[in-house]
Amino acid sequence: MGITIAAMPRTLSSDRIHDLEHSAQGLNDAEVSQRQARYGRNLIAERHQGSWRALIMDTLKDPMLWFLLVTSILFAFTQQYTEAVILLMALIPFLGMDAYLHRRTQASTESLGRRLASQARVLRNGKELSLNTIELVPGDIVLLAPGDTIPADGVFVSVQAFQVDESTLTGEAFPIRKQALETSLQLQPSARIAEQHWGFAGTNTLTGSARMMVTRTGKTTVYGEIIQSVIHGSHTLTPLQQAVSRLVKRLLIIASIICVLLAITRLYQGHDLIDALLSGLTLAVAALPEEFPVVLTFFLGVGVYRLAQRQALVKRAVVVENIGRVSCICTDKTGTLTEGRLQLTHQLTATGVDGQRLLTIAAYASRPDTGDPMDQAILAIATAVPHTILNTFPFTEDRKRETAVVLESQQHLVAVKGAPETILAQCQLADDELHYWQQQVDQLASAGHKVIACAWRELDAATEFDVEPEQQFRIAGLLAFEDPLREGVRSAVDTCQRAGIRVIMVTGDHPITATAIAKEIGLHQGHPRVMEGETLATQLAQGDTAALDAVDVIARAIPAQKLALVRSLKQRGEIVAVTGDGINDVPAIQSADIGIAMGARGTRSAHEAAAIILLDDNFRSIVQAIAEGRQLFSNLRLSFEYLLLIHIPLVVTAALIPFLDYPMLYLPIHIVWLEMLIHPTALLVFQNSAVTADLRQTRPDAPAQFFSWRQWLLIVISGMLVTLLITFAYIRSFGVLQDVAHARAMALVVLTSASTGITIALSRLRTVTAKVIVLLNMLSSVLLIQLPPLAALLHLSPLHLDDWLIALAGGLMAALLPFIKELKTPS
């Protein structure tokens, strides 16, 4: 849902008009009680009761949970307590992750409303009171002073030099001057009211004082509607989550069917109920695909850690995968591509004015308490001159200038700085002079500079200082500032473009300035295609999306246009990452596949809506995060390939041997041993197996599924080949002597050798961890089988040299399979 101030209603209902006409005393107690019952509390985000119950209900829908619980109970019923405990322990990562994500979501929801002040000064029964903001109701008169946060939406009934900072809602950095709404306007219920009469919850007062009549509270405010879009906005499962979910469900269904058939078959073959039940349960444990979600959770956790090292704080682990599939980045300019600070780079002085005098005039018209980066840059380098400020006329968007009346060396003068077109119009200039200065402004602006003009005039001592002079100024000169590019941004943009990732710069700057910056960072090979936000929005509203293919920069963009851009890109199949820092960016961040908030400059609401918080506000970190996401997917695919290549022969042989009326191949203790080999291998060996640190070496559109149908076919064929090796080894060793312990040992050695060989083939032993785990797996097989006391505990018997040679040959064959199949992701 896109929320912008311009889109909100600008009308007053009939009862609000009545309140406006009787606002001098405020509401009485009876009116307050009535309205509290009607409108409720002034809460942006309420904590929902029973949230943990909702979590439990969602968790109970997970088939993995029930499969683990039922299997564990059956093991306990047959006194296989070790296996029962192990299965219960497998529940911990699933339930723990659900609880963690639930608590994070709940905490984020509760913190959304904390941006509003906790107390407000209100007029009730003709008296001024200090109340908790949640007690405000429509019709209340709120008293506002500099530094206050407006606690609800409303109209101003009286103001005195009142200005408001609405940047977190509108993206507009300049103070907004507000005006009182006069009852003499004879309002009608359907009459629209100009924006300068409105106050909005969550915005901050800068100067002056005002009285505001509350018209909307809580969720019905502009801020409230934005926050509700965050809380209730859907976060669909990523393709990786969907793929794992589908895989687990299919394996669960297959495992359940085979387990039931095996138990029935064992009974039909004449075995007792305990044998049939134990066969089915053992197969169930072997077939249970609990490793897949565990591996996914672990890999995502590692991805979160690695992204944090790259200055990207991940709030929802699943986006670690999704960011690797990003195909388009819609990025802010200020603070992301640039350093977010202004530095003076050019001074152009008028005749008779030196550079220091130009800076002094600019400094007179600057204030240290505004937080404006331009004022700070000017005051930091201007030489202090003794003077007294007699009056100031702050910058407003409609005036586009800042004026100060000062006393300097017994001389009264007026200093003004602001937009060049405004200042030049106030100066006494001949046509040729005006043309000259306009040329200089255009030249500096075309180079990407932010340009202001400065002027001054003298005043008689008898002149009144409470009226702002507007004419007869003398031009002092121009100051040009630039926001330097961040280190490494051009290289990062080039990396994206080489990898097929589109980069679209969205900025409120003038097209000339935006073009200069886009050229500097190398968008579209240094020839960026620029379009104004209004033009793009018009075309998109008409259903014409062709413009999306021919634009690199959106200039003069407002939040609603940014949201429209994101939605249109997603509808075309793009995986979109969006950067933002204000409340106005929240809908676009929420709508994006990957919402990225700026850590240093971002507001609380932007942080809450985003999936990733960029700690250094640097575009380069986004590119590094994309590379990390792609590496995660490649590594995860290798891990899942290993699990499938091992589980296919494990499950099939666990079912096939008893189906053939041979003694059970695997006992529960064997499954525990195998799981102790499989789990560490799947979790640790493949963490750094895929070399994808260079974004250009990978495809920009990482597939939403793990394997293609051809790759699945080859995995199944390879798994069945290993199955044949294990079956052959078991039957051969069982022989005429029907030595079950020897046959089991032989089959297990073939399977563990195949596991080792596949691990070596997929990981290429690139890391120390891979080498250590392979060595430990091989060593455990030798010790548990060749040492008679340990072999007896496992119901096995030591093998002969020829047995080991056959097993190792099987492992070597298994190691060659991944090379033959060439399942690794192409570069």
Side-chain angles (χ1 to χ4, degrees), residues 25 35 121 145 169 233 274 329 341 353 449 666 695 806 827:
Q25 299 297 313
R35 296 178 190 219
R121 293 186 301 126
L169 282 180
I274 296 299
I329 303 174
R341 64 178 180 88
V353 178
H449 295 91
Y666 307 113
L695 193 59
I806 293 175
S827 299

Side-chain angles (χ1 to χ4, degrees), residues 7-280:
M8 293 301 296
R10 289 292 179 275
T11 60
L12 284 177
S13 61
S14 57
D15 57 336
R16 293 292 85 80
I17 295 174
H18 173 79
D19 292 338
L20 187 65
E21 295 172 344
H22 300 83
S23 60
Q25 299 297 313
L27 300 177
N28 57 43
D29 293 339
E31 291 172 325
V32 170
S33 298
Q34 179 186 13
R35 296 178 190 219
Q36 284 178 341
R38 178 179 177 184
Y39 298 106
R41 299 185 299 173
N42 182 31
L43 285 176
I44 298 296
E46 296 190 54
R47 180 173 180 174
H48 297 285
Q49 299 299 320
S51 54
W52 284 104
R53 179 183 177 185
L55 169 65
I56 294 173
M57 295 303 295
D58 288 340
T59 304
L60 291 178
K61 298 176 183 178
D62 189 349
M64 176 69 75
L65 170 69
W66 289 107
F67 199 91
L68 286 172
L69 285 176
V70 171
T71 308
S72 178
I73 292 172
L74 291 176
F75 266 115
F77 181 77
T78 57
Q79 298 183 347
Q80 302 292 326
Y81 299 117
T82 301
E83 287 77 7
V85 171
I86 291 174
L87 288 176
L88 287 177
M89 291 178 62
L91 288 170
I92 295 176
F94 309 127
L95 300 180
M97 180 57 68
D98 282 348
Y100 170 75
L101 293 178
H102 170 79
R103 181 65 193 122
R104 277 301 300 265
T105 301
Q106 186 183 66
S108 297
T109 299
E110 293 170 1
S111 67
L112 285 173
R114 289 202 288 265
R115 190 177 188 278
L116 300 184
S118 59
Q119 297 290 315
R121 293 186 301 126
V122 182
L123 190 64
R124 285 184 180 177
N125 297 309
K127 298 179 181 179
E128 181 181 327
L129 304 174
S130 180
L131 300 176
N132 192 309
T133 55
I134 67 174
E135 298 180 30
L136 292 179
V137 295
D140 266 327
I141 301 300
V142 178
L143 310 179
L144 298 169
D148 287 346
T149 299
I150 298 180
D153 286 2
V155 292
F156 296 107
V157 295
S158 69
V159 300
Q160 184 175 358
F162 191 62
Q163 292 190 106
V164 177
D165 175 12
E166 294 180 347
S167 59
T168 55
L169 282 180
T170 67
E172 178 56 69
F174 300 114
I176 305 298
R177 176 176 289 181
K178 296 296 183 178
Q179 299 177 10
L181 184 63
E182 301 293 342
T183 57
S184 60
L185 295 177
Q186 295 183 348
L187 294 171
Q188 299 298 321
S190 60
R192 293 182 63 84
I193 303 172
E195 187 173 314
Q196 64 264 29
H197 302 304
W198 286 92
F200 300 98
T203 59
N204 299 312
T205 63
L206 296 176
T207 62
S209 60
R211 291 188 177 191
M212 185 190 78
M213 188 195 73
V214 175
T215 60
R216 292 175 178 268
T217 57
K219 300 175 184 178
T220 63
T221 63
V222 173
Y223 181 75
E225 292 199 21
I226 291 176
I227 298 308
Q228 292 305 308
S229 73
V230 176
I231 295 174
H232 300 295
S234 60
H235 294 286
T236 57
L237 294 177
T238 67
L240 184 145
Q241 286 180 296
Q242 294 172 355
V244 172
S245 178
R246 288 193 299 267
L247 177 62
V248 169
K249 288 179 181 179
R250 290 169 183 170
L251 293 179
L252 280 173
I253 293 173
I254 294 173
S256 300
I257 294 174
I258 295 177
C259 290
V260 173
L261 291 177
L262 179 59
I264 295 174
T265 301
R266 295 298 282 181
L267 286 173
Y268 179 78
Q269 292 171 344
H271 298 279
D272 58 28
L273 179 62
I274 296 299
D275 181 277
L277 188 59
L278 187 61
S279 299

Side-chain angles (χ1 to χ4, degrees), residues 333 345-346 348 420-421 437-452 478-482 509-520 556:
K333 175 185 73 69
T345 56
H346 295 81
L348 187 61
E421 62 271 21
W437 288 110
Q438 289 175 337
Q439 278 188 323
Q440 301 305 313
V441 170
D442 292 341
Q443 183 176 349
L444 289 169
S446 64
H449 295 91
K450 188 174 183 65
V451 185
I452 63 169
L478 302 177
L479 296 177
F481 302 80
E482 68 177 22
D509 285 345
H510 189 280
I512 294 178
T513 305
T515 301
I517 297 297
K519 286 181 178 179
E520 192 173 356
R556 293 193 185 277

